[in-house]
Amino acid sequence: MKVLNLQCAHGHGFEGWFASQDAFDTQLADGLVECPMCGDTAITKLLAAPRLNLGSSKPPAEKPAQPVAVDSPEARWMRAVREVMARTEDVGERFADEARKMHYGEAEERGIRGKATPEQAQSLADEGIPVFSLPLPAALKETLQ
């Protein structure tokens, strides 16, 4: 198993696990390796220090475990996006229609998310219906394991 440090063209760093270097190269060439933050497929492999097992005659002294702070801007953004997804209904391509129905009192108000073209979003804004774009990485659109 190869664990590689990877980075997209936007500077998002992440880790990838592959069966071998050849498996990584094949998946990269096929566009199957993508950034979990932005979905970019322009991925580069970062340098990583090898682990050298030099052995020791005595076991290393145990240090008390300290919590690792993993609260990068990317991690906070991912948590926020997951929260939005958990609290909204995905209406897909019907987003503009559903937003209008709620705005004009024809449907119950609720949190929704979905897809709208730039023209649909502008039309909603012109009608005074507040909307905003939240690009979601492909990894968040599927079940995470």
Side-chain angles (χ1 to χ4, degrees):
M1 182 65 61
K2 290 280 255 189
V3 180
L4 303 176
N5 292 322
L6 307 172
Q7 187 175 45
C8 75
H10 301 286
H12 301 128
F14 59 99
E15 192 175 81
W17 292 40
F18 301 90
S20 66
Q21 182 64 45
D22 289 337
F24 167 72
D25 293 337
T26 301
Q27 290 179 36
L28 185 64
D30 292 343
L32 299 175
V33 181
E34 68 178 38
C35 174
M37 293 298 298
C38 64
D40 187 8
T41 57
I43 305 298
T44 56
K45 183 171 72 167
L46 301 177
L47 294 176
R51 182 184 184 283
L52 302 176
N53 191 6
L54 301 176
S56 176
S57 60
K58 56 183 174 180
E62 288 192 34
K63 295 187 236 178
Q66 295 184 356
V68 177
V70 184
D71 203 25
S72 67
E74 291 87 1
R76 289 192 303 269
W77 181 77
M78 289 288 276
R79 281 196 306 274
V81 169
R82 284 188 177 116
E83 183 73 18
V84 167
M85 290 181 68
R87 294 177 179 258
T88 58
E89 176 187 347
D90 186 1
V91 294
E93 303 290 335
R94 301 185 338 260
F95 179 81
D97 293 334
E98 289 295 319
R100 279 192 182 90
K101 286 179 187 175
M102 289 188 309
H103 182 74
Y104 294 112
E106 299 169 9
E108 174 188 346
E109 291 223 7
R110 64 199 189 280
I112 61 170
R113 67 182 188 284
K115 295 180 182 179
T117 65
E119 294 80 18
Q120 289 173 323
Q122 184 60 51
S123 177
L124 290 170
D126 292 344
E127 292 178 49
I129 303 170
V131 295
F132 68 94
S133 177
L134 180 64
L136 298 177
L140 284 179
K141 296 176 186 173
E142 300 171 6
T143 303
L144 298 178
Q145 297 183 13

